[in-house]
Every structure is written in structure tokens, then in C-alpha cells.
Amino acid sequence: MTEVSFYTFADDPLDVARRLASKAWSQGKQVLLYTTDPARADAIDRLLWTSPALSFVPHCRDSDPLAGVTPVLIGARSDALARADVIVNLADHWPPDFARFERLLEIVGNDDASRRHGRERYRFYQSRGYALATHDLRARTG
């Protein structure tokens, strides 16, 4: 069963997503940064190219011809990955095929809408019997 982890109180949800994707990639995992929002896809794509300045996470859009050989994808096509290791949800709703992944990472920001959507997703997974882990990012420094 998919392991579901929530990262709550994120000051910058996209930066948290970038760090989680980078960590998973460094562990040899394939990652889908799930979003159906073109603006959000552009923003995380730009962030992966620019932060941090001296590192690089190989990534592309799920529609790119190189998607099949790229370890980190941005988009909504989980079938574009060779292996369904990690999905980082950047959408307000749960990804439709999250259950095929080993891990699902949910990021909840500080604003009211993000917290409301996060609670809805939490209840959805909980009602289906998934074990949920929560990581409060307020307790983290640097």
C-alpha cells in the first residue's frame, strides 16, 4: 500500500516540493511532480533549474520526448515514468492514480485554501485505510 506523508505549514510549498524531489532523486527514486496547472508546472520547472544555484536535478515535462529516460517529471501522466516510486502532489485534489506509487508526498501551505484542501485530502486517504505520516515544517530550521 502506498505510504502517504503530509508536510504541513510549508512557507513555500514549491520549494518544499523541490527539496523532496531532489532528495528522492538522490536516493535513486523516480519522481512525478503532479500538477495539472500549467502555471504551477512552469513555476516548479523554473525552480528546479535555479535552486540551489550549484546543483541540478534532471527533470522535464511528462510530455517531453525524453520523459521515459528522465528521473523527475512534471505533469499529470504517471505512466510516463519507468517506475512509480514517488509522487509529489502539487494539486489541490488527490492524484487519480496515486495508489500505484510507493510513496505519495502531500504539501500543505499556510494559507486557508491550502489547509482546507489538505484536510480534505487527509480525510480521503484516511477513509481508505492509508497509514498517514505528518511532518510539521514549523518545527524545522534552515
Side-chain angles (χ1 to χ4, degrees):
M1 183 175 264
T2 303
E3 178 185 319
V4 181
S5 297
F6 276 79
Y7 293 81
T8 60
F9 299 100
D11 288 332
D12 184 346
L14 287 180
D15 188 58
V16 172
R18 178 199 58 81
R19 287 186 284 137
L20 292 170
S22 178
K23 182 178 179 181
W25 169 70
S26 72
Q27 296 170 343
K29 302 295 185 183
Q30 292 197 338
V31 181
L32 175 64
L33 290 155
Y34 177 84
T35 183
T36 57
D37 178 357
R40 197 169 285 167
D42 288 343
I44 192 66
D45 186 27
R46 207 168 24 260
L47 198 56
L48 285 166
W49 279 108
T50 61
S51 265
L54 298 177
S55 72
F56 176 72
V57 174
H59 69 283
C60 67
R61 301 296 175 95
D62 60 1
S63 57
D64 190 283
L66 294 175
V69 295
T70 305
V72 178
L73 301 182
I74 301 167
R77 288 191 44 233
S78 64
D79 62 332
L81 286 172
R83 291 188 327 267
D85 295 330
V86 178
I87 183 169
V88 180
N89 187 15
L90 300 177
D92 293 334
H93 57 281
W94 49 87
D97 55 355
F98 71 91
R100 66 183 293 259
F101 285 83
E102 291 176 16
R103 295 192 66 208
L104 165 62
L105 308 179
E106 289 280 358
I107 303 166
V108 181
N110 289 322
D111 62 283
D112 290 339
S114 184
R115 288 195 309 262
R116 184 180 72 252
H117 291 300
R119 284 190 296 269
E120 290 169 2
R121 293 190 311 268
Y122 190 94
R123 285 191 297 267
F124 173 83
Y125 302 127
Q126 188 177 50
S127 71
R128 282 152 181 80
Y130 288 90
L132 306 174
T134 303
H135 307 279
D136 186 339
L137 298 178
R138 293 176 297 187
R140 313 248 171 167
T141 59

